[in-house]
């Protein structure tokens, strides 16, 4: 693979994105509650605690769901924390272990009032408590959509574990197909519906499905370019679009970044054009559909803002990177 340049430049793809950064007014208090809840399980070692504190998932949720009620914001914060725990314990696990954990989580979500068996990983009880609280204020349609999409998410993490075991670097198309699931976007989008009752015909309409896919792809591509330096330094970058393009397209890092920039700009343009299509839903759902589509657009902004404001990818240097758009590449571990 071609050598790496000393610096990496991040294009500001969202400079004209019509959704500005906003934050939920309940952020401070709900973040404290959710973090205290997850910390009570003592699911992390010292390394995990440090990584968790850097991530500030309460901030992500509060930017992603800026108009959510207090109860629904708590659901969002708890979900981001559940994602982190599941990712943390499956990150280096073998395929059989990841499949078992996936089964435990889905059983807990499908039976939130049933005690978890002794000896099971703590993630089962975390999932159970999360969903038992969430369903108190969730609409029936959002609950069904969440369960279906979270099931697809955990199974995709199993597939990722298989790729890791086989040292497989997927093609661009195959990578994006899997990454649209492992990113956890669709379960997160289901929370936009917690107070809605959108029928399947609206969510599954081809235009809405395309808007959803574009939002996912913008989040994926943004996430992967921001996380690339951290991952390549740890020699853990096989599940990253930058590596995929460099490997299969025989590109330099600069060439891969140029490819991603062109693709993201194309997606931004396509999202805007789809926003202008004639309504494809019954008039009675106008307010809910517009709120949902705006929620998709806002999620793209939220992921971008959080990437710089939290310490997950750039430590204490995030706001400088957001302004100057460059970082110095870290040496790759041997």
């Amino acid at each position: 693979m071609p050598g790496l340049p000393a610096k990496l430049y991040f294009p500001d793809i969202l400079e004209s994105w019509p959704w500005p950064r906003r934050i939920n007014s309940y952020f401070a208090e709900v973040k404290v509650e959710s973090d205290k809840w997850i910390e009570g399980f003592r699911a992390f070692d010292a390394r995990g605690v440090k990584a968790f504190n850097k991530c500030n998932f309460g901030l992500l949720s509060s930017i992603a769901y800026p108009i959510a009620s207090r109860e629904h914001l708590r659901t969002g914060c708890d979900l981001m924390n559940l994602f982190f725990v599941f990712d943390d314990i499956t990150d280096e696990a073998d395929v059989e272990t990841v499949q078992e954990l996936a089964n435990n989580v889905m059983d807990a979500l499908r039976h939130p009032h049933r005690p978890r068996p002794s000896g099971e990983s703590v993630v089962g009880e975390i999932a159970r408590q999360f969903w038992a609280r969430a369903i108190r204020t969730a609409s029936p349609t959002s609950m069904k959509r969440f369960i279906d999409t979270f099931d697809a998410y955990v199974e995709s993490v199993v597939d990722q574990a298989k790729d890791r075991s086989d040292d497989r670097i997927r093609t661009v198309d195959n990578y994006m197909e899997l990454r649209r699931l492992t990113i956890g976007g669709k379960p997160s989008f289901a929370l936009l519906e917690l107070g809605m009752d959108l029928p399947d015909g609206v969510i599954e309409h081809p235009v809405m499905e395309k808007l959803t896919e574009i939002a996912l792809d913008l989040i994926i591509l943004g996430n992967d370019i921001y996380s690339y330096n951290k991952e390549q330094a740890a020699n853990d970058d096989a599940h990253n679009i930058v590596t995929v393009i460099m490997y299969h397209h025989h590109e330099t890092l600069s060439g891969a970044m140029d490819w991603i920039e062109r693709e993201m700009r194309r997606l931004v343009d396509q999202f805007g054009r789809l926003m202008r299509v004639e309504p494809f839903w019954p008039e009675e759902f106008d307010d809910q559909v517009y709120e949902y589509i705006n929620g998709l657009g806002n999620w793209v902004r939220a992921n971008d803002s959080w990437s710089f404001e939290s310490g997950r990818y750039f430590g204490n240097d995030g706001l400088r990177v957001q302004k100057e758009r460059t970082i110095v590449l870290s040496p790759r571990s041997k």
Side-chain angles (χ1 to χ4, degrees):
M1 192 174 293
L4 303 180
K7 287 189 175 182
L8 184 61
Y9 169 74
F10 301 119
D12 190 2
I13 304 296
L14 302 183
E15 56 191 338
S16 299
W17 192 245
W19 289 272
R21 177 200 183 278
R22 295 184 294 165
I23 192 165
N24 195 293
S25 61
Y26 296 110
F27 160 57
E29 57 194 274
V30 174
K31 169 184 161 52
V32 170
E33 290 178 2
S34 184
D35 286 358
K36 183 178 180 181
W37 167 72
I38 202 70
E39 289 165 0
F41 292 99
R42 301 183 182 277
F44 316 127
D45 57 17
R47 178 195 62 82
V49 170
K50 184 177 180 180
F52 175 77
N53 289 334
K54 276 187 174 182
C55 290
N56 198 352
F57 287 116
L59 175 65
L60 173 59
S61 302
S62 297
I63 306 175
Y65 308 111
I67 63 172
S69 67
R70 193 185 193 286
E71 294 78 14
H72 291 168
L73 179 60
R74 176 63 192 272
T75 299
C77 289
D78 288 354
L79 175 60
M80 299 306 128
N81 288 337
L82 171 59
F83 275 136
F84 180 83
V85 174
F86 189 72
D87 180 70
D88 187 63
I89 64 177
T90 60
D91 194 39
E92 299 178 0
D94 59 40
V95 177
E96 292 74 19
T97 300
V98 177
Q99 184 66 71
E100 180 182 0
L101 292 166
N103 294 343
N104 292 345
V105 165
M106 291 312 304
D107 183 70
L109 292 175
R110 292 188 173 109
H111 305 98
H113 302 301
R114 179 187 300 173
R116 303 309 302 161
S118 61
E120 180 184 82
S121 167
V122 70
V123 73
E125 178 62 13
I126 291 172
R128 187 197 70 78
Q129 289 190 23
F130 152 71
W131 197 231
R133 181 182 299 110
I135 60 178
R136 297 174 193 164
T137 59
S139 66
T141 51
S142 68
M143 288 191 287
K144 179 183 183 302
R145 205 110 54 210
F146 178 84
I147 292 295
D148 290 345
T149 55
F150 204 87
D151 190 19
Y153 158 71
V154 296
E155 290 303 323
S156 74
V157 176
V158 177
D159 289 338
Q160 183 180 351
K162 293 175 184 175
D163 287 356
R164 187 168 60 241
S165 176
D166 296 338
D167 291 323
R168 178 188 181 190
I169 298 179
R170 290 175 173 248
T171 64
V172 172
D173 288 345
N174 287 340
Y175 172 79
M176 292 300 293
E177 182 180 355
L178 179 64
R179 191 72 170 113
R180 290 179 188 124
L181 298 172
T182 62
I183 195 73
K186 286 192 175 181
S188 302
F189 296 164
L191 299 197
L192 295 169
E193 300 181 65
L194 288 174
M196 303 179 189
D197 190 26
L198 290 174
D200 291 344
V202 172
I203 295 296
E204 296 171 5
H205 188 279
V207 173
M208 186 69 86
E209 289 192 335
K210 192 62 182 177
L211 285 166
T212 301
E213 182 180 294
I214 294 170
L216 285 171
D217 287 359
L218 286 169
I219 290 170
I220 291 164
L221 296 175
N223 179 87
D224 281 13
I225 62 174
Y226 297 145
S227 66
Y228 175 73
N229 184 49
K230 177 182 176 182
E231 292 173 357
Q232 68 84 23
N235 203 20
D236 186 31
D237 56 324
H239 195 66
N240 187 299
I241 191 63
V242 179
T243 298
V244 170
I245 293 169
M246 291 171 68
Y247 184 83
H248 286 287
H249 291 191
H250 308 290
E251 281 283 4
T252 63
L253 177 55
S254 296
M257 292 296 292
D258 288 344
W259 186 99
I260 293 168
E261 179 177 358
R262 289 193 300 272
E263 178 64 7
M264 292 184 77
R265 292 194 186 283
R266 184 189 69 82
L267 291 169
V268 166
D269 180 69
Q270 187 178 19
F271 196 93
R273 284 187 281 108
L274 287 174
M275 286 280 292
R276 297 190 289 271
V277 302
E278 289 295 317
F280 52 84
W281 56 86
E283 187 176 350
E284 64 194 275
F285 293 108
D286 268 359
D287 290 345
Q288 293 185 40
V289 172
Y290 286 123
E291 181 179 329
Y292 183 81
I293 293 176
N294 279 314
L296 296 177
N298 182 73
W299 243 110
V300 176
R301 172 66 69 189
N303 181 73
D304 190 77
S305 297
W306 168 79
S307 297
F308 298 108
E309 294 178 37
S310 74
R312 183 165 176 83
Y313 303 129
F314 307 113
N316 295 326
D317 208 25
L319 295 181
R320 182 203 64 77
V321 176
Q322 186 179 35
K323 180 180 179 180
E324 299 179 8
R325 315 303 296 185
T326 61
I327 61 168
V328 175
L329 281 167
S330 303
R332 192 176 184 92
S333 63
K334 303 298 184 182

